Amino acid sequence: MATEILMPALSPTMEEGTLAKWLVKEGDTVSSGDILAEIETDKATMEFEAVDEGTIGKILVPEGSEGVKVNTAIAVLVEEGESADDIATPAPAAEPATAAAPVDAQVDRAPAAPVAVVVPKETEIPEGTEMKATTVRVALRDAMAEEMRRSENVFLMGEEVAEYQGAYKISEGLLDEFGSKRVIDTPITEHGFAGIGVGAAFGGLNPIVEFMTFNFAMQAIDQILNSAAKTLYMSGGQMGAPIVFRGPNGAAARVGAQHSQDYAAWYAQIPGLKVVMPYSAADAKGLLKTAIRDPNPVIFLENEILYGQSFDVPQMDDYTVPFGKAKIWREGSDVTIVSFGIGMKYALEAADELAKEGIAAEVIDLRTLRPMDMPAVIESVKKTNRCVTVEEGFPVCSIGSYISSRIMMEAFDYLDAPVINCTGKDVPMPYAANLEKLALTTTKEVMDAVKAVTYR
Amino acid sequence: MAAKKSSKKPNVSKEELLQYYKDMLLIRRFEEKAGQLYGMGLIGGFCHLYIGQEAVVVGLEAAAKEGDKRITSYRDHGHMLACGMDPKGVMAELTGREGGYSKGKGGSMHMFSKEKHFYGGHGIVAAQVPLGAGLAFSDKYRGNDNVTFTYFGDGAANQGQVYETYNMAELWDLPVIFVIENNQYAMGTSVQRSTKSPSLWERGAAYGIEGEEVDGMDVLAVKAAGEKAVAHCRAGKGPYILEIKTYRYRGHSMSDPAKYRTREEVQKMRDERDCIEQVRDLLLTGKHATEDDLKAVDKEIKAIVNDAAEFSKESPEPALEELYTDIYMEAEA
Ligand SMILES: Cc1ncc(C[n+]2csc(CCOP(=O)(O)OP(=O)(O)O)c2C)c(N)n1
Ligand SMILES: [Mg+2]
C-alpha cells in the first residue's frame, strides 16, 4: 500500500519549513533510517529520515520549496510490486489522521506575521532613519557582535554557543568572527560557569553568559544573587560585576513544567540586579547593547517564540535603548494596559480588537522591570483611570501585583475600577496541548479584563 | 548489516537471550514510532529518543529485583519500557492524553510509576543524581537491601551536584548505582570537548567509590556488570559507578541539526556494534532461533507498538479541570 511521506515537525515551535534538498529521487528504494531530505526549520537545517521501507514513488514537493506546512504530503512511498502510477490518487489511509490533533490548537501561539508597528513616542531615533525588518534573533546577535567589536573585554560564554552556533542560533557566526578566545563553549555546569563569569567581571572583563534557557539558571541562582547582585554593596562600592546573563525565558511550546517558567518577577525582586525583558527586535538590540555597557549585573530575559518574529529595527551606527524608560506602543484614553516581553503580544492584539468595539486602550511596554518606569504608568492611569496588567508568569507576587500596589499608593484617587492582573495560571505548566493553552494568559482574557474595568 | 560475529560463548540460556532481544526490540520500535508521531505533530515539545542505547537499560534491569528503584533524565522512554511500564501509557503520555502515565500533564520528559518504582524522567541535567542518592538513602534508612539505579549522561557528569552526591553517597554507604550512560555527546558537545579527564567513572576514586567501564552495546556485558554492582550495594558496601559506553543513533532531540558528527560515524556504529544485531546473531548462530522465529518476534513487537500508538491517538485529551489538580496533596485528617 502506498503511503504518503508528510512534512515533519522538527522542533517544538515549527509550523512550516523549507524543503531544502532531496537526497533521494523517484525510483530509489529506501529503508528505515535512510536520510530522505534536508529540511530547514526556524532554528536549523535538519536531516529527515525514512521510517518505513519502500520505493520513492513520487516526489510531490520539489526541493527549494519554502513555507511547506507541517503535515503536507511531500512524497509517496510505494511497496514492492506497486508502481508509481498507483498513487495518482493518494491512499485514503494516509489522509492526515492528525487533522484533529491537539497541535492545531497551538497555531495562534506563534504568529508568522510581524506585528504592525505603531510608531512609539521615542526620542532616540532621529527622523528619516532607515528601518529594516529584522528578527529578534538577528537583532540580539547584532547587538552582541557590535559590542564585541567595540570592546575587547566583552566575551560570550555558555553551552553550545560556539561550534553549535547557539542552541537557538542566537550566536550564529560569532565564533567565526571573534574566535574561540571570546566565544566559549562550556560544559554543562551552570553554577560553575556563572561563577566564573562573575569572577571574570570582578577581574574587569564584561562577560555575556548565555543560559540555554533561564530554567537552567536555577542551577546558578546562588552565584547570580549572592555573588553578582550583592558584591558592590558588600564591598562598600569597591567592586561589582559588570555581567549580562541572557537567554530565553518563559514558555516555548509543549516543553512541560520544568522548561516553561517565566522568571521575570523572581529577578525583579533582587536589589543589585537590573532586569530587562524586551518585546520587539529594536528593543532587544538597543537594550542588549545598553546591558553589555552597564557596570552592573543585568538579567536579560528573551523569549523563544519571539526569536523568529520580525520588527523594524533602525539602521544606525550605535542604536541603544536606555533602561527604565517604558515605551508607549499605542495611545488611548479608556484604559491603560501594561505589559512587557511576550505579554505585549496579547496586550497589542487585545487593543486592536478593543478598538473595533470603540474602546481606546493605551498600551505600555515596560521593557525593563528593574528599573521600572512607574512614572509612565502612573501618568497614564491618571488619564485613563483604569489599568490591566499582562504577563506570562505566575499570579502570586507577580509584576502585575507590584504595579497594582504602586498604583494604589500613588494614584488611588484616580482609579475608577480595581486593577486587574492577567497572568499565567497558578499551576505548573502542563504538557497536554489543551491544558497548556489554558495555563497561559490569552488575548481574550486581556479583552475581558478591559471590559470588566471599563464596565462594558 | 550483520553485527560482528561474537567469538565468546556466553553462558546464557536461550530464554534469556530471547527475552533481551524482545525487550531491546520493543524499545527500538517504540522509539521509531514515537519519532514518526512527532513528525506528524501528535507529539510536541522535546522528544529525546533512546535508539542505540537499548542494551544499557535492558542489561541492568536483568540484574534488578523487585523493589529496586530507578531514576533518569529526559531520555527516559527506554527505561520505562524496560522496567515493565505499559507501552500504551507511555505513548499516551507522549501524545499528552488522559491515558498517559501522568494524565498528559508531564510529557515525554516527565513520567513516573510508583508501581514500577520508576521515579522519573527529569528535565534539568543532573538533578536526578542527588535525587537517586536520596531514594537510596530511604532504602538504607528503612533497612532493606534494595538499590537505586541512578542514570545520567556524559554531559551531566560535569555538573557539580554529581560530586557533592558522590561524597555523601560514599560517606553514608548509600546503596546507589551511578550509571553514566556515556553516549559520547551532550547535545553537540563531544566528551573530549567537555573534559580533559580521561574517564568519567574514575572520578569516583577521589571520593572512594569503586566502579568500572562497560561495553554498552553488549547487553550481556552490561548485565554482568550490573550484577556485580548490585551485589556490592546489597552487601552494604556503598555506591558503585558504571560508566557504560554507548551511542545514540538519532539527534539529541527531534530538533538537532547534527552537524557535530559525521553520518559515517553513526552508520559505522549501527553496522558494527548494534546491540540488537549482536543478540540476534547469538540467537541464530547458537541455533536458539530460526529466522522465522525472529520474524514472528518482530511481528509481535510491531503489534504491541501499533496498539500503543493507536491507544495514544484515541485516548482523549485530559479534562480541563485537570489543570488545577495535583498541585497539592490533601493533608490527612
Ligand atoms: C541544567 C541544564 N542545563 C542545560 C540543559 C539543556 N540540555 C538538555 S540535555 C543536554 C545535554 C545532556 O547531555 P548528556 O548528559 O550527555 O545526556 P544525553 O542527552 O546524551 O542522554 C543539555 C545541555 C538542561 N536540560 N538542564
Ligand atoms: Mg550524552
Side-chain angles (χ1 to χ4, degrees), chain B residues 57-333:
Chain B
V57 284
V58 169
L60 289 181
E61 283 296 338
K65 71 166 187 182
E66 173 52 34
D68 288 346
K69 302 179 169 63
R70 57 284 283 168
I71 187 168
T72 187
S73 70
Y74 44 83
R75 197 178 301 287
D76 54 358
H77 312 163
H79 302 69
M80 295 187 279
L81 297 176
C83 75
M85 286 168 67
D86 182 357
K88 286 185 180 159
V90 179
M91 196 69 95
E93 189 60 38
L94 297 184
T95 54
R97 306 301 175 90
E98 189 184 271
Y101 266 99
S102 303
K103 306 179 207 163
K105 290 155 78 165
S108 159
M109 298 188 286
H110 311 302
M111 266 181 263
F112 306 81
S113 166
K114 204 166 177 182
E115 183 202 349
K116 300 290 179 191
H117 315 292
F118 179 72
Y119 287 84
H122 295 266
I124 303 301
V125 168
Q128 75 274 24
V129 178
L131 299 176
L135 290 166
F137 184 99
S138 72
D139 280 321
K140 186 174 157 93
Y141 193 91
R142 288 215 186 78
N144 64 42
D145 72 345
N146 281 123
V147 306
T148 298
F149 294 90
T150 300
Y151 295 86
F152 55 104
D154 47 285
N158 290 317
Q159 285 282 40
Q161 55 185 323
V162 172
Y163 300 92
E164 299 176 20
T165 304
Y166 279 3
N167 190 44
M168 288 181 275
E170 179 65 22
L171 183 65
W172 298 331
D173 291 328
L174 301 181
V176 51
I177 300 170
F178 296 109
V179 184
I180 307 173
E181 293 198 61
N182 183 348
N183 60 11
Q184 306 185 35
Y185 293 92
M187 282 184 83
T189 304
S190 65
V191 173
Q192 293 70 31
R193 291 208 306 114
S194 68
T195 183
K196 281 195 179 174
S197 67
S199 89
L200 300 175
W201 72 269
E202 281 180 282
R203 294 180 186 177
Y207 303 87
I209 308 180
E210 287 177 47
E212 62 191 89
E213 184 182 302
V214 185
D215 175 1
M217 307 308 277
D218 176 352
V219 69
L220 300 177
V222 175
K223 185 199 170 208
E227 283 172 340
K228 191 170 159 195
V230 164
H232 179 96
C233 283
R234 292 213 210 286
K237 294 184 191 160
Y240 199 87
I241 300 174
L242 298 175
E243 178 182 351
I244 306 196
K245 288 287 184 58
T246 180
Y247 199 77
R248 78 168 146 71
Y249 296 171
R250 296 296 189 95
H252 167 74
S253 64
M254 302 306 293
S255 42
D256 176 358
K259 291 275 144 65
Y260 47 84
R261 62 181 185 187
T262 61
R263 232 175 258 171
E264 290 69 41
E265 178 185 312
V266 183
Q267 199 56 47
K268 194 165 148 55
M269 212 50 170
R270 289 183 103 131
D271 289 349
E272 297 177 5
R273 309 284 319 286
D274 186 72
C275 56
I276 297 177
E277 286 297 322
Q278 288 195 41
V279 173
R280 187 185 159 82
D281 190 47
L282 287 175
L283 282 166
L284 292 174
T285 54
K287 306 250 182 292
H288 296 307
T290 64
E291 289 276 1
D292 279 347
D293 294 340
L294 296 186
K295 261 204 185 114
V297 170
D298 288 3
K299 223 173 135 191
E300 180 193 329
I301 298 288
K302 222 172 195 164
I304 295 173
V305 169
N306 284 339
D307 280 355
E310 268 325 296
F311 177 78
S312 80
K313 293 180 195 169
E314 279 160 16
S315 176
E317 290 191 284
L320 299 183
E321 299 75 61
E322 287 291 346
L323 184 62
Y324 289 103
T325 61
D326 305 321
I327 298 167
Y328 296 102
M329 198 126 48
E330 286 298 324
E332 278 173 49

Side-chain angles (χ1 to χ4, degrees), chain A residues 378 403-413 415 419:
Chain A
I378 298 289
I403 293 173
S404 309
S405 82
R406 288 286 299 269
I407 294 174
M408 198 155 73
M409 290 189 284
E410 295 168 39
F412 184 76
D413 291 336
L415 282 179
V419 177

Side-chain angles (χ1 to χ4, degrees), chain A residues 135-448:
Chain A
T135 60
V136 171
R137 173 178 283 120
V138 169
L140 291 167
R141 198 263 319 272
D142 289 352
M144 288 194 283
E146 287 176 22
E147 293 307 298
M148 289 176 78
R149 283 173 211 135
R150 188 171 172 270
S151 165
E152 274 290 321
N153 285 341
V154 179
F155 70 96
L156 173 66
M157 180 164 79
E159 292 161 21
E160 309 287 2
V161 298
E163 293 195 12
Y164 199 87
Q165 310 290 320
Y168 297 95
K169 260 190 164 180
I170 305 303
S171 51
E172 194 171 27
L174 296 184
L175 175 66
D176 284 349
E177 181 175 352
F178 299 102
S180 58
K181 180 186 170 197
R182 298 180 67 196
V183 183
I184 304 162
D185 278 326
T186 64
I188 310 171
T189 48
E190 287 84 4
H191 198 205
F193 68 72
I196 286 177
V198 175
F202 288 168
L205 301 181
N206 300 100
I208 306 169
V209 170
E210 173 175 309
F211 291 116
M212 192 175 284
T213 79
F214 263 94
N215 302 288
F216 315 141
M218 287 297 103
Q219 296 286 320
I221 194 78
D222 177 70
Q223 292 292 3
I224 300 172
L225 267 52
N226 277 321
S227 304
K230 300 176 183 174
T231 298
L232 183 69
Y233 194 79
M234 297 189 300
S235 69
Q238 294 178 73
M239 68 169 84
I243 186 169
V244 177
F245 296 105
R246 52 155 288 274
N249 168 65
R254 309 283 310 277
V255 293
Q258 291 185 334
H259 283 72
S260 305
Q261 195 164 333
D262 172 14
Y263 292 95
W266 285 55
Y267 291 109
Q269 233 235 337
I270 305 300
L273 293 179
K274 295 192 177 180
V275 183
V276 184
M277 189 149 156
Y279 166 60
S280 73
D283 286 344
K285 181 175 183 186
L287 289 166
L288 183 52
K289 282 165 65 80
T290 303
I292 294 167
R293 292 179 201 180
D294 198 284
N296 296 287
V298 179
I299 305 292
F300 196 91
L301 303 168
E302 301 160 8
N303 185 286
E304 187 189 332
I305 290 168
L306 292 177
Y307 278 154
Q309 295 195 27
S310 291
F311 298 81
D312 278 348
V313 173
Q315 301 301 291
M316 291 164 58
D317 280 348
D318 194 18
Y319 176 67
T320 59
V321 172
F323 286 179
K325 196 162 163 292
K327 167 150 131 182
I328 298 170
W329 281 74
R330 185 177 184 121
E331 290 187 29
S333 52
D334 294 333
V335 61
T336 302
I337 305 179
V338 185
S339 189
F340 51 93
I342 192 150
M344 284 298 298
K345 182 171 110 67
Y346 308 114
L348 290 171
E349 279 173 11
D352 279 348
E353 288 302 310
L354 290 162
K356 292 179 196 155
E357 300 177 28
I359 300 175
E362 179 144 304
V363 182
I364 298 183
D365 179 357
L366 289 174
R367 305 198 286 193
T368 63
L369 301 173
R370 185 181 261 278
M372 191 186 289
D373 191 355
M374 273 314 292
V377 176
I378 298 289
E379 193 191 332
S380 175
V381 169
K382 284 182 176 172
K383 178 174 77 178
T384 63
N385 312 113
R386 299 147 210 276
C387 183
V388 169
T389 67
V390 187
E391 70 196 286
E392 197 182 81
F394 298 128
V396 178
C397 302
S398 62
I399 298 288
S401 52
Y402 174 71
I403 293 173
S404 309
S405 82
R406 288 286 299 269
I407 294 174
M408 198 155 73
M409 290 189 284
E410 295 168 39
F412 184 76
D413 291 336
Y414 291 87
L415 282 179
D416 285 346
V419 177
I420 296 184
N421 301 151
C422 296
T423 64
K425 304 302 177 294
D426 198 13
V427 304
M429 184 64 76
Y431 166 74
N434 61 336
L435 298 186
E436 185 183 58
K437 222 172 146 232
L438 274 186
L440 293 162
T441 193
T442 59
T443 301
K444 165 125 194 342
E445 281 179 0
V446 178
M447 291 176 63
D448 289 348

